[in-house]
């Protein structure tokens, strides 16, 4: 007569993913199908048959819904706690197998119903899940369990600071759940409130930075992370900020601050550093924002000392800069274990005068009373004055000789000696006076070329067909 499904605990079986339909309905057979979608719990289904000729029967069917969840004693732990995650699953007569994943990636060799993290660290924070596989049934993936491991890491605990870099960025990295904020504190009482601080959070990582302005002093700074869930505070390791005083950075030259082109000159830069800090020292000619570096040297793990350079040819180092140029010594401090650290010291500049003194031409010839000639005296460097002297004369500017100044500036002076209607051989000397030392002199020679017939034969009478000798004096 009828065939009816009922579900234990439900009024209407056709709800919450269950549907009933008749697949066969004849005078001698009735078949009713009960379909279940998205099973969420164990349930008992009852099929009741009523016969036309009287009587009825019932049959029960029990459905076991297999599932799993990840649990732990807490969701938040402080490093270095040991953390055990448990995969709670539905027990049955079937024996399941297990696997674990972290952030969607399989954790190798973890096949038990528990997963233990020994001495947990901040980077262990994240989403964990377990897969439970029952034979002949299938695999159930548990919902993600979010684990927070609180930890504060200070990647660098010692910073070196100096004059040329006023600001040093300090970093602290925190892990775990959400923060209320980060507090930076100077253990030596420095006011840090005016210094720029930044905090960036990505998933379970909190990156904190402070732009520390050293004000020429050393300091000790800490970072404290405050967690919003319970107000817990975790303080990172102390950061030591060591200021390297550059008062001992002296820059000296061998003798006075001048040298001659193509001559060797030696320069010395004294330095002071600390154990474990390397330095690279370099010498620079500087003019109009152009820096030309002369050989650098690397000194490892030295306490005090000096570095010297010998320049074999100044002409190599005055290309694209003026003849004379300020010199500076640059010392770069670096810590081998901190690739990002770079500290520069620049000495006060010292003006170095590159001297070059020429007289041209060094020797010349001219025809008497018919040719004009000129000599050029050029002096570069710390030149005060140039002056011409003519051997045997009191006044240079006489008898066809005149002197003019073609160029007169602090780095170079050029004087021209002009000769008109030369009558005899003469020696001209150009004298240079320098600011930093005694002067130099350079001599040039003028040879006046002339020719005449021996005047003693002038007006002499001879007989026709007689011989006579005439002499041309050169």
């Amino acid at each position: 007569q009828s065939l009816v499904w009922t579900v234990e605990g439900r009024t209407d079986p056709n709800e919450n993913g269950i549907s009933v339909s008749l697949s066969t309905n004849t005078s001698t057979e009735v078949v009713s199908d009960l379909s279940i979608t998205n099973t969420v719990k164990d349930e008992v289904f009852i099929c009741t048959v009523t016969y036309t000729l009287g009587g009825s029967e019932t049959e029960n069917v029990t459905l076991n819904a297999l599932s799993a969840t990840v649990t732990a004693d807490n969701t938040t732990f402080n490093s270095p706690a040991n953390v055990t995650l448990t995969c709670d699953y539905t027990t049955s007569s079937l024996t399941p197998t297990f696997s674990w994943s972290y952030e969607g990636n399989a954790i190798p060799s973890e096949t038990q119903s528990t997963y233990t993290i020994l001495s947990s660290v901040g980077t262990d924070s994240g989403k964990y899940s377990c897969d439970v596989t029952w034979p002949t049934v299938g695999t159930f993936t548990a919902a993600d369990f979010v684990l927070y491991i609180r930890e504060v890491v200070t990647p660098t605990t010692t910073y070196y600071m100096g004059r040329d870099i006023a600001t040093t960025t300090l970093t602290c990295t925190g892990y775990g759940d959400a923060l209320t904020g980060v507090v930076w504190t100077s253990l030596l009482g420095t006011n840090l409130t005016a210094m720029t601080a930044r905090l960036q959070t990505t998933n379970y990582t909190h990156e904190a930075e402070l732009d520390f302005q050293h004000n020429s002093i050393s300091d000790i700074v800490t970072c404290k992370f405050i967690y919003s869930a319970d107000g817990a505070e975790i303080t990172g390791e102390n950061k030591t900020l060591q200021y390297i005083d550059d008062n001992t950075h002296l820059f000296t030259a061998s003798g006075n601050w001048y040298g001659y082109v193509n001559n060797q000159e030696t320069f010395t830069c004294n330095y002071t550093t600390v154990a474990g800090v390397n330095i690279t020292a370099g010498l620079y000619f500087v003019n109009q924002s152009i820096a030309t570096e002369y050989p650098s040297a690397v000194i490892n793990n030295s306490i005090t000392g000096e570095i010297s350079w010998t320049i074999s040819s100044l002409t190599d180092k005055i290309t694209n800069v003026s003849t004379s140029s300020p010199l500076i010594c640059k010392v770069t401090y670096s810590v081998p274990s901190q690739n990002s650290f770079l500290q520069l010291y620049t000495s006060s500049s010292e003006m170095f005068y590159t001297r070059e003194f020429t007289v041209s031409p060094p020797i010349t010839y001219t025809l008497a009373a018919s040719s004009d000639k000129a000599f050029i005296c050029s002096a570069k460097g710390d030149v005060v004055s140039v002056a011409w002297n003519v051997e045997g004369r009191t006044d240079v500017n006489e008898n066809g000789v005149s002197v003019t100044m073609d160029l007169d500036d602090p780095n170079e002076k050029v004087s021209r000696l002009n000769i008109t209607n030369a009558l005899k051989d003469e020696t001209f000397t150009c004298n240079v006076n320098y600011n930093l030392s005694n002067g130099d002199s350079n001599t040039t020679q003028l040879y006046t070329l002339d020719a005449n017939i021996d005047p003693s034969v002038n007006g002499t009478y001879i007989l026709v067909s007689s011989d006579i000798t005439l002499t041309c004096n050169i």
Side-chain angles (χ1 to χ4, degrees):
Q1 182 178 352
S2 64
L3 189 153
V4 178
W5 283 100
T6 58
V7 183
E8 193 173 88
R10 295 194 190 191
T11 304
D12 182 5
N14 291 284
E15 61 179 4
N16 295 335
I18 297 177
S19 62
V20 177
S21 62
L22 290 175
S23 59
T24 303
N25 188 8
T26 66
S27 59
T28 59
E29 182 181 13
V30 176
V31 177
S32 178
D33 296 328
L34 184 143
S35 301
I36 306 165
T37 305
N38 193 23
T39 305
V40 294
K41 63 179 180 177
D42 295 350
E43 291 195 277
V44 176
F45 303 94
I46 305 166
C47 182
T48 302
V49 179
T50 302
Y51 298 104
T52 304
L53 299 180
S56 64
E57 293 183 66
T58 61
E59 189 78 32
N60 294 349
V61 177
T62 300
L63 174 67
N64 293 319
L66 304 179
S67 64
T69 58
V70 178
T71 62
D73 292 341
N74 206 333
T75 59
T76 304
F77 298 84
N78 289 345
S79 174
N82 295 333
V83 178
T84 298
L85 303 179
T86 300
C87 187
D88 286 335
Y89 62 98
T90 304
T91 58
S92 68
S93 59
L94 303 175
T95 302
T97 58
F98 305 91
S99 62
W100 288 86
S101 64
Y102 169 70
E103 291 292 320
N105 299 311
I107 302 176
S109 304
E110 292 297 330
T111 59
Q112 303 300 314
S113 62
T114 59
Y115 171 57
T116 299
I117 305 170
L118 298 176
S119 301
S120 63
V121 294
T123 52
D124 290 323
S125 299
K127 297 176 181 178
Y128 291 83
S129 179
C130 66
D131 286 347
V132 184
T133 301
W134 286 272
T136 71
V137 177
T139 299
F140 185 89
T141 300
D144 288 334
F145 178 89
V146 180
L147 175 66
Y148 298 103
I149 305 296
R150 293 176 176 176
E151 184 184 24
V152 175
V153 177
T154 52
T156 304
T157 56
T158 301
Y159 293 79
Y160 296 89
M161 307 173 299
R163 182 192 65 194
D164 290 350
I165 299 180
T167 301
T168 299
T169 299
L170 311 182
T171 59
C172 282
T173 302
Y175 298 93
D177 47 323
L179 297 177
T180 299
V182 177
V183 177
W184 293 89
T185 304
S186 165
L187 301 187
L188 301 185
T190 304
N191 184 3
L192 306 181
T193 57
M195 300 183 187
T196 301
R198 294 176 293 276
L199 176 63
Q200 181 176 351
T201 296
T202 304
N203 294 331
Y204 323 102
T205 305
H206 314 288
E207 296 286 353
E209 293 182 336
L210 176 70
D211 293 337
F212 183 85
Q213 297 172 332
H214 58 68
N215 297 321
S216 301
I217 60 172
S218 297
D219 213 324
I220 300 175
V221 175
T222 63
C223 57
K224 179 171 63 179
F225 285 61
I226 304 174
Y227 290 87
S228 57
D230 54 7
E233 299 178 353
I234 299 180
T235 300
E237 292 182 73
N238 292 347
K239 291 178 175 291
T240 300
L241 292 89
Q242 182 168 342
Y243 180 77
I244 302 176
D245 193 347
D246 69 339
N247 290 334
T248 57
H249 289 74
L250 304 176
F251 190 23
T252 58
S254 56
N256 293 317
W257 284 89
Y258 63 85
Y260 292 90
V261 169
N262 297 321
N263 283 6
Q264 286 193 350
E265 303 296 338
T266 300
F267 304 87
T268 301
C269 181
N270 297 306
Y271 62 87
T272 298
T273 183
V274 295
V277 178
N278 295 350
I279 77 167
T280 301
L283 175 68
Y284 291 80
F285 286 84
V286 180
N287 191 321
Q288 299 174 351
S289 301
I290 300 173
T292 304
E293 182 180 4
Y294 202 67
S296 297
V298 178
I299 307 94
N300 294 323
N301 302 321
S302 299
I303 304 301
T304 58
E306 63 180 32
I307 180 67
S308 296
W309 303 266
T310 298
I311 300 180
S312 59
S313 175
L314 286 174
T315 54
D316 295 337
K317 295 300 146 194
I318 60 176
T319 305
N320 297 326
V321 298
S322 64
T323 304
S324 297
S325 173
L327 273 177
I328 59 174
C329 174
K330 285 186 177 180
V331 180
T332 301
Y333 290 84
S334 61
V335 180
S337 61
Q338 300 172 15
N339 294 330
S340 60
F341 171 77
L342 184 66
Q343 177 66 57
L344 296 179
Y345 274 121
T346 302
S347 71
S348 58
S349 63
E350 299 286 350
M351 178 60 75
F352 182 82
Y353 295 96
T354 305
R355 292 179 179 176
E356 188 172 9
F357 176 36
T358 59
V359 174
S360 61
I363 185 172
T364 191
Y365 301 89
T366 183
L367 297 178
S370 62
S371 299
D372 296 338
K373 291 294 180 181
F375 293 92
I376 304 297
C377 177
S378 173
K380 299 178 181 180
D382 55 319
V383 183
V384 176
S385 63
V386 295
W388 285 97
N389 175 265
V390 183
E391 190 176 280
R393 294 193 190 191
T394 304
D395 183 4
V396 175
N397 291 283
E398 62 179 4
N399 297 333
V401 176
S402 64
V403 176
T404 58
M405 186 68 72
D406 290 352
L407 178 61
D408 187 1
D409 70 30
N411 292 319
E412 183 177 8
K413 298 183 186 300
V414 178
S415 178
R416 179 186 300 271
L417 186 142
N418 303 292
I419 305 166
T420 304
N421 196 23
L423 299 177
K424 61 178 181 178
D425 295 350
E426 290 195 277
T427 300
F428 304 97
T429 301
C430 184
N431 299 303
V432 177
N433 289 321
Y434 294 109
N435 181 47
L436 299 178
S437 70
N438 296 328
D440 289 331
S441 62
N442 213 331
T443 299
T444 184
Q445 185 70 47
L446 173 68
Y447 292 98
T448 302
L449 305 183
D450 194 6
N452 57 71
I453 298 174
D454 185 355
S456 63
V457 299
N458 185 34
T460 300
Y461 295 93
I462 63 172
L463 296 175
V464 174
S465 299
S466 298
D467 295 334
I468 188 172
T469 299
L470 302 179
T471 301
C472 181
N473 297 315
I474 301 174

